[in-house]
Amino acid sequence: MNAPMTKPLSISNPHTPFDHPEFDGHEQVVFANDTASSLQAIIAVHDTTLGPALGGCRMWPYANSGEALTDALRLSKGMSYKNALAGLPMGGGKAVVIADAKTQKTPEMLVALGRHIDRMAGSYITAEDVGMSDRDLEIISTQTAHAGGTKARGLGNPSPYTAQGVYMGLKAAARHKFGSSNLKGLRICVKGTGSVGATVARLAHAEGAKLWVADVYKPNLERMVNELGATQVETSEAHKADVDIFAPCALGADLTPKTIREIKASIISGAANNQLASPDDGEALHQRGILWAPDYVINAGGVISIGLAKPGDTDDTYVRQQVDAIGDTLTKIFDRAAKENQPTSLIADHMAMEIIAAGKDKKAMTDA
Ligand code: NAD
């Protein structure tokens, strides 16, 4: 028999996951290693009150494992909030792989990751995120049934659903700010005209909106100019465009104290993740009277398509109805923010926490 431990393990080390400032009661954090394929991944499961933790897998060349852990914890908590407000029977989780997707990704690494996800027995369901493609998800799903967003397991590419949700969000914001959800005649600047941004621009154009577009990738930009007669803007000037709605659909952190001072639009609603450079920027937008559609609410169409689709699904009617309901959720957030004179960012977080807390109460009653 082993001698009992005389001294309890210290948990005061600031580098242990339990003491991490972003830990926030995470249910499970898995450090997945496969030496043969050089896989090093962290899979964080924040909360499974509402259902299995659904969240994408990101591959990124993090400088160290601490940086990767911070990202995994922050993103998985974000997924709990996003899935709750999307009305999904899903909790929040996220996987991050410490590798450069352009130079270090191998099929063997993805197979090893799939095996690790499978060992979690469905507490975590993976999907696409930065650095991962449809093809990568197909490889992961050779090892586990717990991978969404592939054609074999559902409706495939989530981008069209994300774009549809953003379009409904634009309309909800226009209704709240201007009294009508009709985009006809409104001036909209779309920054980032990739998979989601281009579709949003097309939907708004079809309804009669006038478009301004910015993108660092010329072919995407020129396509919008030729197809929709959109006006080109420099990417660094996009947020300053003299328009009614600014739709950030490129990368994150477009909303900083400096850009917020320069924005002329009275609505900001776009697909990009993590639009606020810091939580204080939500308050700054509120102070300026700019209506901000919280990013994780408006861009939930993709996760809805993954979370609700069943293997072999071809009919997406129900999924589309749920994606369209993003507009109603945003209206509730806008109305409550106005009533309580609070930033929409804060109200969205509160509403997500309330949904999760109600789920916990319901579970406790069922378990009692
Ligand atoms: P994408 O890669 O297809 O398109 C992004 C576009 O932004 C590209 O055309 C790129 O050239 C452009 N871009 C990059 N940096 C830029 C810059 N500094 N200025 C201007 N343009 C720039 O990506 P996507 O799938 O369309 O996603 C767009 C955003 O929406 C991302 O922030 C993504 O995280 C978020 N999002 C996407 C989905 C989805 O289903 N695809 C779901 C939720 C959130």
Side-chain angles (χ1 to χ4, degrees):
M1 202 171 115
N2 291 334
M5 271 200 309
T6 50
K7 207 172 142 207
L9 281 173
S10 164
I11 56 163
S12 61
N13 180 344
H15 300 297
T16 66
F18 291 115
D19 297 326
H20 195 287
E22 303 281 350
F23 188 68
D24 192 61
H26 264 75
E27 288 179 14
Q28 189 182 19
V29 182
V30 171
F31 292 81
N33 182 66
D34 180 69
T35 308
S37 67
S38 303
L39 169 78
Q40 286 198 326
I42 300 173
I43 307 170
V45 171
H46 176 248
D47 194 287
T48 58
T49 305
L50 303 176
L54 171 64
C57 175
R58 176 170 293 193
M59 189 174 284
W60 193 256
Y62 295 100
N64 52 58
S65 55
E67 212 180 74
L69 176 64
T70 301
D71 214 25
L73 294 173
R74 197 175 48 79
L75 292 167
S76 70
K77 177 180 165 183
M79 287 308 300
S80 289
Y81 287 12
K82 178 171 188 160
N83 294 342
L85 274 177
L88 290 173
M90 300 280 174
K94 199 88 183 183
V96 303
V97 179
I98 307 170
D100 187 330
K102 291 197 181 76
T103 57
Q104 294 173 311
K105 184 163 49 181
T106 60
E108 292 75 18
M109 189 184 268
L110 298 171
V111 164
L113 177 64
R115 264 192 250 119
H116 273 286
I117 292 170
D118 200 55
R119 277 186 217 145
M120 293 174 75
S123 64
Y124 169 67
I125 301 170
T126 199
E128 233 180 283
D129 195 65
V130 177
M132 300 292 268
S133 67
D134 292 6
R135 176 75 198 114
D136 299 334
L137 259 291
E138 303 283 357
I139 296 174
I140 291 171
S141 63
T142 61
Q143 305 300 311
T144 181
H146 309 299
T150 65
K151 259 282 180 246
R153 298 273 157 77
L155 295 166
N157 182 7
S159 300
Y161 300 97
T162 304
Q164 175 68 15
V166 173
Y167 168 63
M168 296 310 287
L170 288 179
K171 291 172 74 63
R175 190 188 310 113
H176 186 86
K177 198 78 183 171
F178 308 130
S180 166
S181 62
N182 197 331
L183 302 180
K184 187 162 192 244
L186 289 184
R187 300 162 303 158
I188 303 176
C189 179
V190 180
K191 178 176 177 182
T193 50
S195 314
V196 180
T199 308
V200 171
R202 287 190 185 103
L203 291 167
H205 177 261
E207 200 170 309
K210 288 182 72 181
L211 287 158
W212 279 252
V213 287
D215 200 299
V216 287
Y217 184 57
K218 285 269 172 291
N220 281 358
L221 189 66
E222 283 160 9
R223 197 178 44 173
M224 293 287 102
V225 172
N226 296 333
E227 196 184 315
L228 311 179
T231 305
Q232 280 189 42
V233 199
E234 285 300 315
T235 55
S236 57
E237 302 286 308
H239 66 281
K240 297 185 209 165
D242 189 8
V243 292
D244 303 298
I245 303 177
F246 172 47
C249 297
L251 304 180
D254 263 328
L255 307 175
T256 66
K258 179 178 181 294
T259 61
I260 290 170
R261 279 195 300 276
E262 296 169 340
I263 285 168
K264 295 195 185 73
S266 48
I267 291 172
I268 300 173
S269 51
N273 275 314
N274 305 320
Q275 291 171 27
L276 303 179
S278 87
D280 292 345
D281 298 319
E283 173 64 30
L285 288 167
H286 176 62
Q287 290 300 331
R288 277 218 51 209
I290 298 171
L291 184 66
W292 183 61
D295 43 16
Y296 69 82
V297 183
I298 194 170
N299 71 16
V303 83
I304 291 174
S305 76
I306 294 167
L308 295 182
K310 305 273 181 309
D313 260 1
T314 46
D315 181 358
D316 66 355
T317 312
Y318 179 64
V319 166
R320 283 198 169 269
Q321 281 166 358
Q322 298 310 302
V323 171
D324 287 354
I326 287 174
D328 302 332
T329 306
L330 283 168
T331 296
K332 284 187 194 133
I333 293 169
F334 297 153
D335 289 348
R336 184 162 154 188
K339 194 164 159 232
E340 296 180 19
N341 193 22
Q342 294 279 359
T344 52
S345 49
L346 209 71
I347 296 296
D349 288 357
H350 284 170
M351 282 171 60
M353 284 190 271
E354 285 162 12
I355 294 167
I356 296 168
K360 283 193 198 301
D361 289 349
K362 200 169 153 200
K363 220 170 173 181
M365 273 164 60
T366 325
D367 292 348

